Amino acid sequence: MQEGAFQLGLLKFCHSSVKKCYGCGHLLKMKGGDGQWHIPPAPNDLVIITATRRSYWQNGEQKRGHLGNVYFHCRVECVRAMQAAFLPFLVIIPSGLRPHLLQPHRQHLAQELHMLV
């Protein structure tokens, strides 16, 4: 991903280490009684992906890390928590993802991002 670009994704296609929303900090996946991480049902498996440089503290000095992908719940408020200038119409839906979008996904995108898919 490029910094400032936003792309729609499904958790099942994301790396297994993706677990938390970068905006609200809540979990994107649920930990089951079996100790495994489980992807929630549609539409809660939708994520918005962008790239950013995470800031961190080292020896009392704030630094910025390397450019890397971050993942948000597919909610405007989650993305705006970290990207104040976010506009929903900026989200790109990759053509390869469209066949995997179910009716609950489409309804959520229409309601949350005002996108008709």
Side-chain angles (χ1 to χ4, degrees), residues 5-102:
F6 298 92
Q7 179 177 303
L8 190 69
L10 285 171
L11 282 171
K12 69 180 180 179
F13 298 127
C14 296
H15 191 274
S16 61
S17 65
V18 174
K19 293 186 180 57
K20 266 191 180 181
C21 174
Y22 187 63
C24 70
H26 292 125
L27 292 174
L28 295 166
K29 297 178 182 176
M30 302 172 288
K31 193 154 193 176
D34 59 1
Q36 300 296 312
W37 290 96
H38 299 276
I39 295 171
N44 297 318
D45 57 343
L46 283 171
V47 289
I48 296 175
I49 309 163
T50 191
T52 193
R53 296 179 190 280
R54 295 179 189 240
S55 54
Y56 63 96
W57 290 90
Q58 186 178 38
N59 300 326
E61 184 180 338
Q62 190 169 17
K63 299 190 173 201
R64 288 183 49 151
H66 297 290
L67 191 63
N69 286 352
V70 292
Y71 302 80
F72 299 92
H73 287 109
C74 187
R75 293 189 211 123
V76 172
E77 73 246 21
C78 287
V79 182
R80 284 199 179 139
M82 298 304 274
Q83 305 273 335
F86 171 71
L87 298 169
F89 71 84
L90 295 173
V91 177
I92 295 164
I93 303 174
S95 59
L97 186 67
R98 288 180 188 273
H100 299 278
L101 297 177
L102 306 173

